Amino acid sequence: MALGALCATGLLATPTSGVDTASASSAATSTTTTTTLSQTTTITVPTTTTLLTTTTTTTVPATTTTIPASIGVNPFTAPLVASYLKNRENLVTAAVYDARSGKSYYYNPGVHERTASMVKIDILATLLWEDQQDHRPMTSRELSLSTKMVDQSNDGAANLLWSDIGGRDGLDAFNTLIGFKQTIPSYAWGTIETTPRDQLQLLKVIVLPNRILTTASREYEMDLMEDVSPSERFGLGWGSPPRATVGLKDGYYPVAVTGWQINTSGFVMYNGRLYLATIMCADNPDETYGIGTATTLSRLIWEDLAP
C-alpha cells in the first residue's frame, strides 16, 4: 500500500514541534523550532503521541534534512475558512496535523462532542493492540467483523467487537496508553464524548510509525479506512479530490434535543503530502446541513494544505 510504505520510512522517536490553536477570528502563530529528520522523506512522525519504551535500535543515516517548523500553515485562520465557519449555525470543532511541518492546528479546542460511528476505528485499533499483547494473529471472525464495522459501518459488528475488547474499560485503557486527555468514556460506544485533539492522537497511532501498533496492524487498519463504502464517505471523502488517497471513518446520528451529530476523521495523502484531520459538528438542524459543513471544511483544508 502506497501510504503504508511511505509512512514506514519515519523514525520511532518523536521530535518536539509547535502546536497552534485558532478560532474564526484569531491569527496564526508559528515557531522557529526545527524538526530534524533522519531520512530524505518529507513526511514527519507524530509529535504528541505517548509511546511505549522499546529496546529496538534505530540506525541513523549520516545525512539529515532539516525542515523549519515555521513552514506550517494554519488552515483555520485562512480567510475563506474563517469566514465560512463564522457563518455556520452548528457547533464545529476541528483539528489538523500537518505531517510536513509537524504542527497541529485546532478550531474551537476543548469542545466535547459525541463520537457516533467515528469511534469504530478506535475499537479496531484497540482490538489490534490487544491481539498484539496476546501474541496472536487476528481470527477469521475478527477479520470479518472488522471489515463490516469499518467499511460498512455495521453497528452489529461494532457491538460484538466492543464486547471482545472489554467495552469501556478496554477502550479506555488503550486510549490512555496513546495519550488521550480530553475524552469522557461511556458504556455505549456511540455516546463517548471526545475532542479532535484526542482523535488526532488516535490517527497518529494508526497512520504513523510508533511503538504501539505494528506496521502490519497499521497497514491493515489503513486499508480498511481507504476501502470504506461510498455511502459512508462524506466529509474528508467528498471534500478531497479523487487523486488523493483518503482513509477515513465518519459518524452521524440524530440527538433528540440538540439535533444531528456529524463527524469525519482520517488521513489525506497526495504526492508526498500527508495530513490528518478530524471535524466534528454538533447541533445540526438536519443531517444534510452537518454533512455539508464537514465536506466543505474538508475541501477548504485541502486547498490550504495541498501540495
Side-chain angles (χ1 to χ4, degrees):
M1 184 186 66
L3 179 57
L6 180 58
C7 289
T9 62
L11 293 179
L12 294 179
T14 54
T16 301
S17 64
V19 175
D20 207 354
T21 61
S23 66
S25 60
S26 65
T29 61
S30 61
T31 70
T32 57
T33 303
T34 60
T35 301
T36 301
L37 305 180
S38 65
Q39 298 171 348
T40 57
T41 178
T42 58
I43 301 301
T44 58
V45 294
T47 61
T48 57
T49 304
T50 302
L51 303 179
L52 298 177
T53 58
T54 181
T55 57
T56 301
T57 301
T58 302
T59 302
V60 180
T63 60
T64 59
T65 302
T66 300
I67 301 177
S70 59
I71 67 172
V73 176
N74 186 339
F76 301 121
T77 56
L80 287 178
V81 178
S83 176
Y84 176 75
L85 289 171
K86 181 179 180 181
N87 293 292
R88 299 310 284 168
E89 298 176 7
N90 48 4
L91 177 60
V92 180
T93 178
V96 172
Y97 171 76
D98 180 5
R100 183 161 66 185
S101 67
K103 296 182 70 175
S104 297
Y105 304 99
Y106 303 97
Y107 179 78
N108 278 345
V111 172
H112 287 77
E113 297 187 10
R114 294 184 178 183
T115 54
S117 287
M118 181 178 67
V119 77
K120 290 171 181 175
I121 57 173
D122 199 2
I123 294 174
L124 177 55
T126 302
L127 175 67
L128 291 167
W129 177 70
E130 290 183 351
D131 283 353
Q132 288 176 193
Q133 298 303 107
D134 293 338
H135 304 288
R136 67 176 182 85
M138 295 183 73
T139 65
S140 58
R141 173 181 176 276
E142 290 173 341
L143 291 169
S144 175
L145 290 174
S146 296
T147 300
K148 292 177 181 177
M149 178 178 69
V150 176
D151 290 356
Q152 303 168 25
S153 200
N154 184 282
D155 290 346
N159 290 337
L160 292 172
L161 291 178
W162 171 254
S163 178
D164 287 353
I165 66 171
R168 167 180 169 159
D169 293 340
L171 192 76
D172 192 41
F174 176 73
N175 288 344
T176 299
L177 173 67
I178 67 175
F180 274 29
K181 298 183 183 300
Q182 299 176 340
T183 295
I184 302 171
S186 172
Y187 288 105
W189 51 260
T191 60
I192 295 169
E193 295 187 12
T194 190
T195 67
R197 179 267 176 201
D198 278 2
Q199 294 308 303
L200 283 190
Q201 292 293 102
L202 172 63
L203 290 171
K204 289 176 182 178
V205 170
I206 294 172
V207 177
L208 303 174
N210 60 86
R211 302 184 185 111
I212 296 175
L213 291 183
T214 65
T215 299
S217 292
R218 292 187 303 101
E219 290 187 346
Y220 172 72
E221 182 151 9
M222 285 189 286
D223 281 340
L224 290 185
M225 292 171 69
E226 290 179 29
D227 292 337
V228 165
S229 170
S231 63
E232 300 287 336
R233 291 183 67 85
F234 59 82
L236 290 169
W238 289 353
S240 306
R243 65 184 181 275
T245 298
V246 180
L248 80 165
K249 187 68 194 79
D250 295 330
Y252 53 94
Y253 81 104
V255 182
V257 177
T258 59
W260 282 79
Q261 177 72 51
I262 303 293
N263 306 322
T264 187
S265 187
F267 59 86
V268 179
M269 191 270 285
Y270 174 69
N271 196 26
R273 189 74 158 102
L274 170 66
Y275 62 89
L276 317 176
T278 298
I279 300 168
M280 304 181 71
C281 310
D283 304 346
N284 295 282
D286 53 52
E287 183 181 12
T288 300
Y289 189 89
I291 289 176
T293 301
T295 299
T296 300
L297 183 53
S298 295
R299 177 179 57 81
L300 293 172
I301 290 171
W302 165 265
E303 291 175 354
D304 279 307
L305 296 181

